[in-house]
Amino acid sequence: MMKNNEYNPNEDISEEIRFSDAEQIELILVEANGYNLRYEVEEQAKKFMKEDSKLSKLDATVMAYSEWIK
């Protein structure tokens, strides 16, 4: 059976759209920019990574965003 590109809401979606860490970070920073807090989120993420070297940049950015956007 050939798969066509038409959307079928009843079809099980086996392919997921996955964003790279860099893309996810940029989306978070764009959102933070909407609150004029991009710089603050970036700087807070750097501080979190400095405090915990095991922390990924994505995790640090998520944490920083949560700190600044309450």
Side-chain angles (χ1 to χ4, degrees):
M1 183 173 156
M2 261 184 117
K3 192 172 185 178
N4 61 24
N5 289 333
E6 292 181 31
Y7 174 70
N8 179 351
N10 298 317
E11 181 179 302
D12 182 90
I13 299 174
S14 59
E15 294 180 39
E16 294 181 17
I17 296 174
R18 296 190 183 262
F19 292 103
S20 70
D21 284 2
E23 289 169 323
Q24 290 180 63
I25 290 166
E26 185 56 29
L27 289 172
I28 293 166
L29 293 176
V30 166
E31 183 71 20
N33 194 52
Y35 296 98
N36 293 318
L37 293 171
R38 181 182 178 116
Y39 175 79
E40 289 81 356
V41 170
E42 287 179 300
E43 291 302 307
Q44 185 68 52
K46 289 177 189 175
K47 288 179 186 175
F48 284 144
M49 288 188 302
K50 192 178 262 190
E51 293 169 4
D52 183 354
S53 62
K54 296 177 186 172
L55 202 58
S56 73
K57 188 172 183 179
L58 175 57
D59 288 338
T61 303
V62 169
M63 289 169 56
Y65 180 85
S66 295
E67 282 286 313
W68 281 94
I69 310 296
K70 293 182 180 182

